[in-house]
Amino acid sequence: MATKEDRQAVLLKILKRGQAGTQADLRRELKVEGLAVDQSTLSRDLRELGVRKSAGKYVIGEFVEGPRELDFGAAVERFTTCGPHLAVVFTGVGLAASVAVAIDSQNESAVTATLAGDDTVFIATKSRRAQAVVIRRLKTWFGDKYEQ
């Protein structure tokens, strides 16, 4: 049985293709990926991921169209570094996935990958310099909530 995070990661992959127009389409695509999901679970996942319907298709939040100023300042409690290649963002309970999606949608080249739990987002970088860039971006997006 897939975890919630695994299921939502597959759902995001499907949504990034940009072809799903209905929840039935999404459920079929999830089934092709080996995940049988009921409608209520799918609706909850879409809500948690900040997915909206636009022009007859599901899109990932308001950030799909391109980089914009992030509006998750209240969701992010603080962030810090961990070693030379990792930044950690602490969010309110249940908000990490939406914050990670918002960060990913910015297409920031210093971000190699994000991994979201329930209230924590890990941001991997390729170097210490990229990590510094990520911290500057996080300050811009979420306010100066950096803890050293």
Side-chain angles (χ1 to χ4, degrees):
M1 181 169 199
T3 66
K4 175 181 172 180
E5 289 79 17
D6 293 339
R7 185 180 66 244
Q8 288 184 349
V10 171
L11 181 57
L12 287 172
K13 182 175 83 169
I14 292 167
L15 290 166
K16 287 178 182 178
R17 294 182 204 148
Q19 299 172 358
T22 66
Q23 286 192 11
D25 294 339
L26 290 172
R27 289 180 65 207
R28 272 192 295 277
E29 290 291 323
L30 286 164
K31 191 166 190 164
V32 168
E33 297 285 338
L35 298 169
V37 177
D38 61 36
Q39 188 274 328
S40 61
T41 299
L42 178 58
S43 291
R44 188 172 33 257
D45 285 345
L46 293 171
R47 187 174 47 256
E48 287 177 8
L49 293 170
V51 174
R52 309 265 187 267
K53 202 159 187 185
S54 176
K57 299 205 185 267
Y58 284 98
V59 294
I60 304 167
E62 60 183 278
F63 306 104
V64 172
E65 297 170 10
R68 295 183 185 179
E69 185 176 333
L70 297 180
D71 189 20
F72 280 86
V76 174
E77 295 173 357
R78 66 188 193 287
F79 49 88
T80 190
T81 56
C82 185
H85 301 285
L86 192 63
V88 184
V89 178
F90 300 94
T91 71
V93 175
L95 300 174
S98 294
V99 170
V101 168
I103 291 169
D104 287 342
S105 72
Q106 296 302 298
N107 297 317
E108 171 55 55
S109 62
V111 174
T112 302
T114 60
L115 176 66
D118 191 46
D119 62 357
T120 308
V121 179
F122 293 101
I123 304 171
T125 64
K126 291 183 181 178
S127 67
R128 187 175 295 278
R129 182 175 177 193
Q131 181 190 54
V133 170
V134 166
I135 293 299
R136 283 196 305 273
R137 296 294 183 266
L138 292 173
K139 287 178 181 178
T140 300
W141 296 334
F142 305 122
D144 191 8
K145 298 178 181 180
Y146 179 61
E147 293 182 356
Q148 294 184 348

